[in-house]
Structure formats: structure tokens, C-alpha cells
Amino acid sequence: VPAWDPGVAASCGWRAPPCSLPHLRIAPHSCTPPSSHQGNLTCRLPPRSFGFWQCLWVRTRGPSLPEQVSRAAHESEGAAAQLGSSPEIDPRRPRCLLPESAQIPQISYASTAPDLSDNSRYDFFSRVVPSDTYQAQAMVDIVRALKWNYVSTVASEGSYGESGVEAFIQKSREDGGVCIAQSVKIPREPKAGEFDKIIRRLLETSNARAVIIFANEDDIRRVLEAARRANQTGHFFWMGSDSWGSKIAPVLHLEEVAEGAVTILPKRMSVRDRERIGQDSAYEQEGKVQFVIDAVYAMGHALHAMHRDLCPGRVGLCPRMDPVDGTQLLKYIRSVNFSGIAGNPVTFNENGDAPGRYDIYQYQLRNSSAEYKVIGSWTDHLHLRIERMHWPGSGQQLPRSICSLPCQPGERKKTVKGMPCCWHCEPCTGYQYQVDRYTCKTCPYDMRPTENRTGCRPIPIIKLEWDSPWAVLPLFLAVVGIAATLFVVITFVRYNDTPIVKASGRELSYVLLAGIFLCYATTFLMIAEPDLGTCSLRRIFLGLGMSISYAALLTKTNRIYRIFEQGKRSVSAPRFISPASQLAITFSLISLQLLGICVWFVVDPSHSVVDFQDQRTLDPRFARGVLKCDISDLSLICLLGYSMLLMVTCTVYAIKTRGVPETFNEAKPIGFTMYTTCIVWLAFIPIFFGTSQSADKLYIQTTTLTVSVSLSASVSLGMLYMPKVYIILFHPEQNVPKRKRSLKAVVTAAAMSNKFTQKGNFRPNGEAKSELCENLEAPALATKQTYVTYTNHAI
């Protein structure tokens, strides 16, 4: 530009503008610094001239001039655009901000307040520096990268501090995972002890060791001093905004308190090789010079593009740009895209904001030497080199700033209301497992939680094994009992025609022995692995063996009772006392048991089940599933109930026939058998049902049931058949036929025996023996007691 004034450019630190507007003039007299404020430059153009900027001032040294700048902005009617800076009091808000009614585009090189992005209020405002919203986002990303979720904030009272903290809190809520423990504001005029009070308040939430600071340099320094006075050096981890940046003043002589502080600063560079003043001086260049240059070039590029489109081929202004339409110029400003002085692209978004670019520093103290070390950057997303970070006391290990420690596996989080980063850890109990961080759920009925309660695993299934200690005794009794039963059967078959076998009633004896055999065999069915076949056989034979045994004994005792009761009234024989009749009665009683079993099969088919409730202990580690047949305790009572009824009825008849002379029948051995059997089952009932809640229910109840059944069979076998076998094998001389008696003689003897027995009741010893019995027994007493037998025709 021919009229470009080198002196003015040098004063502002600019290069030549990127556009060719021949009539653009910046006369020296229009850019003279006010005498009362040296070091500030205000540039004005004459009215109706093309105003490159009407309100441009660059602060190099000394106070700002908001009044002069604002007045200069409105003095020129032909103003086209404005470039503004920032004051010292609030470095985030422009002092040269024009009202929206002026419709003059503005480009700021230092204003970062988040509310300036509001197009409804500042639609003509743009800036080449990033908004504090990006800074807040970058700080939230850093907090999340360091795995901090519980932080406090400290802000200086004013737009910068309060809006910065507000943006940080808003971004933390949007992203989630970060909670604010304390939010402290530093007054503009703090009282004595105010900063000590701030430290005490921060210590109320001691787990929140990370502190986010949006404050000016003086407030930052006094916060650090208060922390040192409270002896909290190394407790807090500071994260400072760009007002802290890489400055030495806030941390001077406070290096140990500030050690580890993470700070953020917009990405910038010095323009050393482009300066034309101060080359040999000792001054320190203002860090915002880069943004000033970018702002000027952004306006130049926008005007150049606008002139090229509206005034093609023209030199100077054309009618379409005289005057300049601010709304149209704003569109060109928002469309610029060029490489700035630092090599970064200069662009604007729809809100007029420049992209966020930040350098991230950490204040490190090593070997008594303190420095700000670059540890990363942020450009739309975070690039953080955690391995370059160093923390006081812990080296490279990341410190914690969390509200609650992570829950262990198998524990769920119960969050504190209004504070999602704080929680209580509650263990999943019982059969629960951890579904996610916040939920415990009960495992399916056939499963239990794993050791760490992060999932479920199948519950082990158990059954009574053949080698179990609980099965040893039942199996021993069953094997011995079956052997003994087979021995008796073989003996009876071999001596089938001897008087003792005949006198015992061969037909019913074999039926009774079959029932005893089934009672012993049931033990093997009870211990075998439950399946469809095993469970079906259990239903059939568990109650059938006992029913056969007691049906045969009941038939015998009933026959004896009817014979001697009939003898009291007449000498005629009772009906149904023949062997065929006895077998018919016995099988009729047995058929009722079989009928009930058939009905049960129809109503509820047999099958095996795995019962996970029997051994569902409070501690799931000991839970077991029990493989068993679908026979409940109630079903078992019904299954054995009929056998119990036969047993009780047989016992009643045994009591009624207890007075019959033992030389005539085996009523007394049957009576002793039934008394003993009743005692066995009376002991069985409380043991079986009293252990229904025991963890070893399967073993106890199976063992108790099988032993009770085997003992009942053993009592019958031992009392009714072993004496006969003994006589048959070892005293065959007693196994001889005696004189036969007629039914009349037997009945008469029974009647006389009953008569004298009643008289004997009044004797001191309660005994009586009739003369008839004495005469009958005389031959027998001469040697040994013998069995008096009679043929089927006699009785």
C-alpha cells in the first residue's frame, strides 16, 4: 500500500496489510497517541473515508483508554469495522464493544468471556482468541484423563472467574463423571483471614484434592500462601486457567505448594523476527501480539474478499461498498480462512469464535529447580503425555481426587443423592450377583453366585452314593437280611413236609418271607441313582413289601382270634380258615396297596427331580441340588400309611390273642414281633420328620427309612422263623408229629384255658394254669417243651 505508514506499522508491530486499496490512508496526524496516556495508540480516519478500523488501540505499556476508544468509535459516521482489545480489570471483556444497533463488525484479540458467543446479543462480535468455553472443556478433559471425579473450584469474583467456573461446571455436567465438591468465590475485597477460611472450607471435602482455579494472579498467590499456612503442602493439586498460565509471579517463593500444578494457556508464539522497535531493548513482548496480528489480517482478508466480489476490476471503492454494509462484511469475516502468524489456520465458527488451541503445562520442581513443563495440548480433543507428569510425593503415579473408592467385584454402588460421583459400596448378599455397577440380581434357582459374585454358576447336584458312610449300614443290613431270608426259604423248601413247616402254615409263611425279602431289597432301590425306572420301582416296592408282610401276619392273627372266639360260643369251625381262604384274604389286602399305587401312577407319573430347596443354605457356597424321586413327605406318608394300618391292626389282634396257650399256636411270637415293630416305627417318625430342615436331610431320611424297614423285616424273620429253623436243623428229634386233636378238643381246651386264666387274674402273681393244660403239657415237661401240632383237617 503506497500510503502505508511504516512508523505506524512499526508502532503496532504489524506487517504490510494483505490487501491493495490505493486510497487507504492512515495519516500520521490521525494516529497520534494522546498526550495524557503515553503508550496507547488510537487511530481514526476522517469522516466518509473507508475506515479500516475506527476503534483500534494496542496496549503496549500503561493503562488502557476505554473512554477515548469508545468516543473514537462513534465519532466517524463512515465506520466500517472495529478491532478491540482488553482492559486490565477484567481481561475477558472488550472495552471497545459497540452496541448491536450500530451493526459494525468487531474482531477482538483478547476477549474470551463465554457469553460473547451469544449471537442473540453479540451477533456482530468475532474474536481470534478461543472462548473460555473451550478452556473449560479442555480442563474437564484433563480432569477426566487424570481419573479425577471429585474436584473443588475457586473463582475470583467477577465476570472472568465466575463465568469460567460456570462454564467448567456446565461442561462437567454435560460430559458426566465429574462432580463439584466445593465451589468457593473470592470476594473483590477479601477480609483478613478470608483465604484461610477458603482453605478450611476446601478441607471439609478432603477427598477432593484437585482444585480448579479461575482467579487473577494476586488471588492465586494468596490461596497458595493460605495453603502453606494450613500445613497442606502437597495435599491439594491445583489446576489453573490461562490467568495462571506459565507465569512466575503467582508461584514465586511458593514453589513447594504449587508443585504439580497443571495450567492451561492459549497456544501462542512470539513475533521476534517481525518486530521493528525494541530490538535492542530489554522489554518483554506481550503474549497477545500474535492475536493482534491475526485480528488485523482477518479484517484485511474479509475486506479484500468483499472488494473483490462487489467491486471486481475496480480500484478503490465502488458504490456498492460506499458505505460498507456491516451485515455483509460480517459474512466475509466469518468466511475467512488463512494461515496466521503462528502457522495455525485463522477461522471463525457460526458464533464468531476462533478454534480452541491450548498448551498444557505442569509446574514441576526437581533438584530445587522449578519450571513450567509442557505436558500436552488441546485442539478439539486432548493430547496429554501423562508419562511426562511429576507429582509431589508420588513421582509419576497419578494422585487420587475421588469421592469414593471403586467398589470391589461383587459390590454395587449406591449413589449419594445429588452427587453421582459419591457412592456407598453395598455387597451383593445371599444368592445375588453383580449385574452392573449399580444392580445386584438373584441368580436363577438352579445356580449360585461365583466366588467374586460377578456371575452365576450351576449348583452342584448330589445324591446318595454307594460308597457314602450313610449307605454302609443300610446296605449291610439288607445284604445280611436277604441272605438270611434266602436261607430260611431254602430250609423251608427242603423241609417243606415236616411237621414244623406244616404247623407254621406253609402258604402264608412263603408269602410272609416274600414280603420280608422285598423289604430288604427296597434298600438298593433307595440308594440307587434316581431315574424313571428307579423311581417307579420305589413307588411299587417301598410300601408293597411291608404290605405283604403285615397282610400275612394279620391274616394269621385274625385266623387264630376267630378260632378261639368261635370256640367260646360253639364247637363249629369258623369260616375262611382253610389255606386257600387265607391266601385269598392276604392277596385281597395286598391288592388294595397295588390299587393305590396304580391310581398314583395315573394321577402323577413317576419321574426324578433335582430339588434345589432342600439344601439351599444361607451361604451359597454350601448350596446343593438334591437328585431324588418326586416323592414328597406327604406322599411317603400315604405310601406307608396303609402298611402302618395293617401293622396296627395286626398288633391289636396280637394283643387279643395273647392269652391263648402257646402250645396251640404262634400267637405270642407274632405279638412280640408286632410290639417290637411298633417301637421301631415310633422311633422312625420323629427322626424322619424332625430332620426335614437339616442340611443332611437326604442322607438322614434315606438311612432312617431303609434301616427302619430292614429292622422290621429282621424282627419278623428273627422271631417267627429263626426258632423253627433252629429246631429243623439242630433238633430234628423235636420235628415229629404229635397226636392229632379234633376241633372240638382244641376249642374245649381253649375255653377251659380262658376260664382258668380269668381266675388267675386274682392271684398275686397273676398266673394260672388249668388242669387241662397241665395234663396236656405233662408229657412235654418230662423232657423238653415241644410244639403241639395239628393237621389242617383238625383246625
Side-chain angles (χ1 to χ4, degrees), residues 460-474:
I461 299 175
I462 61 172
K463 62 182 182 64
L464 186 57
E465 301 292 342
W466 294 102
D467 57 351
S468 171
W470 294 95
V472 172
L473 180 59

Side-chain angles (χ1 to χ4, degrees), residues 447-735:
M447 306 186 79
R448 61 178 178 174
T450 57
E451 291 295 333
N452 59 4
R453 293 184 177 272
T454 56
C456 294
R457 56 178 176 172
I459 295 177
I461 299 175
I462 61 172
K463 62 182 182 64
L464 186 57
E465 301 292 342
W466 294 102
D467 57 351
S468 171
W470 294 95
V472 172
L473 180 59
L475 288 175
F476 175 77
L477 292 177
V479 171
V480 173
I482 289 175
T485 303
L486 292 176
F487 179 74
V488 172
V489 171
I490 293 172
T491 302
F492 267 52
V493 171
R494 183 176 180 182
Y495 299 95
N496 188 55
D497 294 327
T498 60
I500 288 183
V501 176
K502 290 181 178 180
S504 62
R506 290 175 294 185
E507 294 78 7
L508 288 181
S509 293
Y510 290 129
V511 173
L512 178 56
L513 287 171
I516 293 174
F517 177 85
L518 290 179
C519 288
Y520 287 124
T522 303
T523 299
F524 296 94
L525 294 176
M526 297 300 296
I527 298 177
E529 181 176 349
D531 54 25
L532 178 60
T534 304
C535 294
S536 300
L537 293 176
R538 282 187 190 181
R539 284 193 183 186
I540 296 172
F541 292 109
L542 180 59
L544 183 61
M546 295 178 62
S547 298
I548 292 174
S549 300
Y550 296 130
L553 287 176
L554 177 58
T555 303
K556 276 193 173 187
T557 54
N558 176 263
R559 175 173 174 264
I560 296 171
Y561 174 77
R562 288 189 295 114
I563 288 173
F564 286 96
E565 282 296 315
Q566 180 70 17
K568 296 178 183 179
R569 295 188 293 269
S570 65
V571 295
S572 60
R575 294 185 301 170
F576 309 116
I577 61 173
S578 64
S581 301
Q582 297 296 293
L583 288 176
I585 294 173
T586 301
F587 286 115
S588 298
L589 295 174
I590 296 172
S591 63
L592 294 178
Q593 175 78 18
L594 293 174
L595 179 62
I597 293 174
C598 293
V599 173
W600 189 8
F601 272 111
V602 173
V603 175
D604 183 17
S606 179
H607 60 277
S608 61
V609 295
V610 179
D611 191 347
F612 293 97
Q613 295 298 326
D614 272 359
Q615 295 196 26
R616 193 175 182 85
T617 56
L618 294 178
D619 190 342
R621 293 178 299 172
F622 304 109
R624 298 291 184 272
V626 180
L627 178 62
K628 63 180 184 179
C629 293
D630 60 328
I631 303 178
S632 63
D633 292 347
L634 179 60
S635 300
L636 183 63
I637 292 175
C638 296
L639 181 64
L640 299 178
Y642 181 68
S643 300
M644 298 293 181
L645 178 62
L646 294 177
M647 180 184 68
V648 171
T649 306
C650 187
T651 303
V652 171
Y653 278 107
I655 294 173
K656 289 185 176 182
T657 58
R658 69 185 183 281
V660 174
E662 60 183 14
T663 53
F664 291 99
N665 56 77
E666 51 184 353
K668 283 182 171 51
I670 293 177
F672 291 139
T673 299
M674 300 316 301
Y675 304 151
T676 307
T677 303
C678 288
I679 293 173
V680 169
W681 286 101
L682 286 175
F684 159 79
I685 292 175
I687 296 174
F688 186 88
F689 294 101
T691 58
S692 59
Q693 302 300 322
S694 172
D696 296 324
K697 172 185 175 182
L698 169 68
Y699 308 111
I700 296 176
Q701 290 190 342
T702 303
T703 301
T704 303
L705 179 60
T706 53
V707 169
S708 298
V709 174
S710 295
L711 287 179
S712 300
S714 299
V715 168
S716 301
L717 185 66
M719 290 191 174
L720 297 179
Y721 292 100
M722 286 307 171
K724 296 179 176 62
V725 173
Y726 177 79
I727 294 295
I728 292 172
L729 297 179
F730 299 104
H731 295 282
E733 71 278 4
Q734 297 181 16
N735 189 11

Side-chain angles (χ1 to χ4, degrees), residues 288-348:
K288 295 184 176 65
V289 170
Q290 167 194 335
F291 301 113
V292 174
I293 297 174
D294 288 343
V296 172
Y297 271 88
M299 186 63 74
H301 278 285
L303 288 171
H304 182 69
M306 184 176 181
H307 183 268
R308 183 183 62 236
D309 293 343
L310 301 184
C311 306
R314 292 283 299 273
V315 177
L317 294 177
C318 62
R320 296 181 63 184
M321 290 187 64
D322 188 14
V324 174
D325 185 352
T327 302
Q328 200 169 16
L329 176 60
L330 178 64
K331 295 180 180 179
Y332 284 95
I333 291 175
R334 297 288 172 85
S335 301
V336 298
N337 189 344
F338 64 95
S339 181
I341 193 67
N344 298 318
V346 178
T347 59
F348 302 98

Side-chain angles (χ1 to χ4, degrees), residues 227 257 397 565 663 747:
V257 184
Q397 183 178 359
E565 282 296 315
T663 53
V747 173

